[in-house]
Amino acid sequence: MILGIGTDLANIDRIAGVLDRFGDRFRNRVFTVAEQSKAERRRETAATYAKRWAAKEACSKALGTGLRMGIAWRDMAVTNLRTGQPVMQVTGWAAERLAAMTPPGHEAVIHVSLTDDHPWAQAFVVIEARPLP
Protein backbone atom coordinates (compact mmCIF):
# COMPACT_ATOMS: atom_id res chain seq x y z
CA MET A 1 0.00 0.00 0.00
CA ILE A 2 1.19 3.53 -0.78
CA LEU A 3 1.68 5.70 2.30
CA GLY A 4 2.98 8.82 0.61
CA ILE A 5 4.13 10.36 -2.65
CA GLY A 6 6.30 13.41 -3.13
CA THR A 7 8.04 15.14 -6.01
CA ASP A 8 10.26 18.17 -6.38
CA LEU A 9 12.02 20.09 -9.11
CA ALA A 10 15.22 22.02 -8.35
CA ASN A 11 17.12 24.48 -10.51
CA ILE A 12 20.75 23.34 -10.77
CA ASP A 13 22.02 26.89 -11.41
CA ARG A 14 20.23 28.11 -8.26
CA ILE A 15 21.87 25.37 -6.18
CA ALA A 16 25.26 26.20 -7.77
CA GLY A 17 24.76 29.83 -6.74
CA VAL A 18 23.91 28.85 -3.18
CA LEU A 19 27.00 26.61 -3.07
CA ASP A 20 29.17 29.50 -4.34
CA ARG A 21 27.65 31.96 -1.88
CA PHE A 22 27.45 29.85 1.28
CA GLY A 23 29.83 26.94 0.62
CA ASP A 24 30.36 24.62 3.58
CA ARG A 25 27.74 26.40 5.66
CA PHE A 26 25.07 25.27 3.18
CA ARG A 27 26.61 21.83 2.58
CA ASN A 28 26.88 21.03 6.29
CA ARG A 29 23.37 22.26 7.09
CA VAL A 30 21.63 20.27 4.37
CA PHE A 31 23.77 17.30 3.36
CA THR A 32 25.33 14.39 5.25
CA VAL A 33 29.05 13.69 5.01
CA ALA A 34 28.33 10.75 2.67
CA GLU A 35 26.19 12.94 0.39
CA GLN A 36 28.89 15.61 0.29
CA SER A 37 31.56 13.05 -0.47
CA LYS A 38 29.52 11.64 -3.37
CA ALA A 39 28.78 15.09 -4.81
CA GLU A 40 32.36 16.32 -4.54
CA ARG A 41 33.62 13.28 -6.49
CA ARG A 42 31.24 13.99 -9.38
CA ARG A 43 32.06 16.11 -12.41
CA GLU A 44 28.58 17.69 -12.18
CA THR A 45 28.80 18.61 -8.49
CA ALA A 46 25.96 21.13 -8.49
CA ALA A 47 23.63 18.72 -10.33
CA THR A 48 24.39 16.01 -7.78
CA TYR A 49 23.59 18.36 -4.90
CA ALA A 50 20.45 19.60 -6.69
CA LYS A 51 19.11 16.05 -7.15
CA ARG A 52 19.66 15.30 -3.48
CA TRP A 53 18.04 18.60 -2.48
CA ALA A 54 15.01 17.70 -4.60
CA ALA A 55 14.94 14.19 -3.07
CA LYS A 56 14.86 15.61 0.46
CA GLU A 57 12.02 17.97 -0.49
CA ALA A 58 10.13 15.11 -2.16
CA CYS A 59 10.67 12.83 0.84
CA SER A 60 9.39 15.46 3.26
CA LYS A 61 6.27 15.79 1.11
CA ALA A 62 5.82 12.01 1.00
CA LEU A 63 6.09 11.98 4.79
CA GLY A 64 3.17 14.41 4.77
CA THR A 65 4.96 17.23 6.53
CA GLY A 66 7.03 19.24 4.14
CA LEU A 67 10.04 20.76 5.87
CA ARG A 68 8.32 21.63 9.12
CA MET A 69 7.19 19.90 12.30
CA GLY A 70 10.76 19.20 13.43
CA ILE A 71 12.10 17.46 10.33
CA ALA A 72 15.70 18.38 9.54
CA TRP A 73 17.43 18.31 6.17
CA ARG A 74 20.01 15.84 7.43
CA ASP A 75 17.28 13.52 8.77
CA MET A 76 16.94 12.42 5.13
CA ALA A 77 19.95 11.15 3.18
CA VAL A 78 20.32 9.81 -0.34
CA THR A 79 22.88 7.09 -0.90
CA ASN A 80 23.34 4.68 -3.76
CA LEU A 81 23.40 0.92 -3.99
CA ARG A 82 26.34 -0.67 -5.79
CA THR A 83 24.13 -0.76 -8.89
CA GLY A 84 23.79 3.03 -8.73
CA GLN A 85 20.15 2.92 -7.63
CA PRO A 86 19.41 5.78 -5.23
CA VAL A 87 17.98 4.95 -1.82
CA MET A 88 16.66 7.21 0.93
CA GLN A 89 17.65 6.68 4.54
CA VAL A 90 15.83 8.51 7.31
CA THR A 91 16.87 9.23 10.87
CA GLY A 92 15.69 11.44 13.70
CA TRP A 93 12.25 12.96 13.38
CA ALA A 94 11.85 11.72 9.79
CA ALA A 95 12.30 8.13 11.01
CA GLU A 96 9.82 8.74 13.83
CA ARG A 97 7.28 10.13 11.36
CA LEU A 98 7.83 7.16 9.03
CA ALA A 99 7.30 4.71 11.89
CA ALA A 100 4.09 6.50 12.92
CA MET A 101 2.73 6.31 9.35
CA THR A 102 3.52 2.61 8.95
CA PRO A 103 0.60 0.31 9.81
CA PRO A 104 1.19 -2.51 12.31
CA GLY A 105 2.45 -5.67 10.63
CA HIS A 106 4.10 -3.72 7.81
CA GLU A 107 7.53 -2.39 6.94
CA ALA A 108 8.07 0.92 5.16
CA VAL A 109 10.10 1.06 1.95
CA ILE A 110 11.12 4.39 0.45
CA HIS A 111 11.51 4.37 -3.34
CA VAL A 112 13.51 7.20 -4.92
CA SER A 113 13.95 8.22 -8.54
CA LEU A 114 16.35 11.03 -9.53
CA THR A 115 17.04 12.70 -12.85
CA ASP A 116 18.60 15.85 -14.19
CA ASP A 117 18.69 17.70 -17.49
CA HIS A 118 20.40 21.04 -17.08
CA PRO A 119 19.14 23.35 -15.68
CA TRP A 120 16.69 21.06 -13.85
CA ALA A 121 17.02 18.27 -11.31
CA GLN A 122 13.99 16.24 -10.31
CA ALA A 123 13.19 13.70 -7.63
CA PHE A 124 10.21 11.47 -7.07
CA VAL A 125 9.66 9.59 -3.79
CA VAL A 126 7.08 6.90 -3.03
CA ILE A 127 6.72 5.45 0.46
CA GLU A 128 5.30 1.93 0.40
CA ALA A 129 4.08 -0.22 3.28
CA ARG A 130 4.80 -3.92 2.70
CA PRO A 131 3.30 -6.65 4.85
CA LEU A 132 5.87 -8.37 7.04
CA PRO A 133 6.48 -12.02 6.17
Side-chain angles (χ1 to χ4, degrees), residues 34-102:
E35 288 174 311
Q36 291 179 47
S37 177
K38 172 85 172 181
E40 297 300 327
R41 288 192 312 265
R42 303 295 300 251
R43 185 176 47 136
E44 298 294 331
T45 302
T48 302
Y49 279 121
K51 285 186 283 191
R52 278 152 176 74
W53 169 279
K56 291 167 186 268
E57 287 274 8
C59 184
S60 71
K61 293 170 185 175
L63 289 168
T65 64
L67 286 163
R68 56 185 174 87
M69 295 177 58
I71 198 167
W73 287 104
R74 291 170 47 116
D75 284 348
M76 301 165 287
V78 178
T79 59
N80 296 84
L81 301 178
R82 295 182 86 182
T83 61
Q85 176 184 350
V87 293
M88 179 69 70
Q89 299 169 340
V90 293
T91 58
W93 192 90
E96 291 174 21
R97 171 70 179 150
L98 183 61
M101 307 172 51
T102 306

Side-chain angles (χ1 to χ4, degrees), residues 103-117:
H106 290 74
E107 64 177 344
V109 179
I110 303 174
H111 303 278
V112 181
S113 181
L114 305 174
T115 191
D116 67 280
D117 187 6

Side-chain angles (χ1 to χ4, degrees), residues 17-29:
V18 173
L19 287 164
D20 288 344
R21 185 170 178 199
F22 296 104
D24 286 341
R25 184 172 159 213
F26 172 68
R27 283 182 197 88
N28 294 332
R29 179 173 175 249

